[in-house]
Amino acid sequence: MSTGEGRPVKRKGPTFLRDTQVDLSTTDQRLLDDHGRADWLHTDPWRVLRIQAEFVEGFGALAELGPAIAVFGSARTKREDPFYAKGEQIGAKLVEAGFAVITGGGPGAMEAANKGASEAGGVSVGLGIELPFEDGVNDYVNIGVNFRYFFARKTMFVKYARGFIVLPGGMGTFDELFEALTLAQTQKITSFPVVLVGIDYWSGLLDWLRGTVLADGKISEADLGALVLTDDVDEAVAIMAAGKATSS
């Protein structure tokens, strides 16, 4: 322990402590001490190792996936909903176009896209997340990774998908959509097409973005440039295939 101008300073790797924050034990001492409670299992430094493990598992599972498209949509989409059928068609046609299909692994629209991909003989990926109201990945996933942390899972979507197709959904779907738009706006990702399937469902949002947010100068026209709105599954897949050819 050193001092600076009479103030106690202790350095612990990249961290330094001063004044009343200086502790009198060492990291090695606490590691080797087998007494006391196991509260350390739930502390932030230990969580870092869990987070690291999630990235390692995700990278390991998907590193050789090849070209892939992420399909998003509501877990609440019923099997009799017309958008469930569209999800199946999207999954199958993406496989025909040479893509793997990545979803959040849940029920509803995600299940539909995984089902279409799996039954078309393609790679059907589900990136699950620990939630209080969903139970694991759907039965049509043939590569599945479950995550504790949303940010680790989001990284996998963006790293391994070449574009997003977004079916009608709620808060989680909005989060994934605007995550992609934000990353494109800030130039964290490039050549990343985003297709919204469902003209009636999404038109109000796009009208508001253009009529209010863009008109008020909060975004630029280029920020909406990657967005395409359609009801045509073939068009959505063709846009993804065009992006694939561009990036090859």
Side-chain angles (χ1 to χ4, degrees), residues 13-14 22 31 59 61 63 73 81 83 94 100 103 105 118 158 170 175 192 232-233:
V22 174
L31 174 65
F59 292 155
D81 190 314
F83 280 105
L94 285 171
T103 80
S118 178
V158 176
D175 178 53
F192 202 88
D232 189 331
V233 169

Side-chain angles (χ1 to χ4, degrees), residues 25-40:
S25 64
T26 67
T27 303
D28 283 339
Q29 178 185 354
R30 291 190 295 276
L31 174 65
L32 298 173
D33 187 354
D34 62 357
H35 303 294
R37 299 170 60 188
D39 292 344
W40 58 274

Side-chain angles (χ1 to χ4, degrees), residues 23 36 42 63 71:
D23 59 63
H42 309 292
V71 181

Side-chain angles (χ1 to χ4, degrees), residues 168-182:
M171 294 300 187
T173 305
F174 301 156
D175 178 53
E176 289 147 349
L177 168 61
F178 282 101
E179 175 87 7
L181 296 178
T182 301

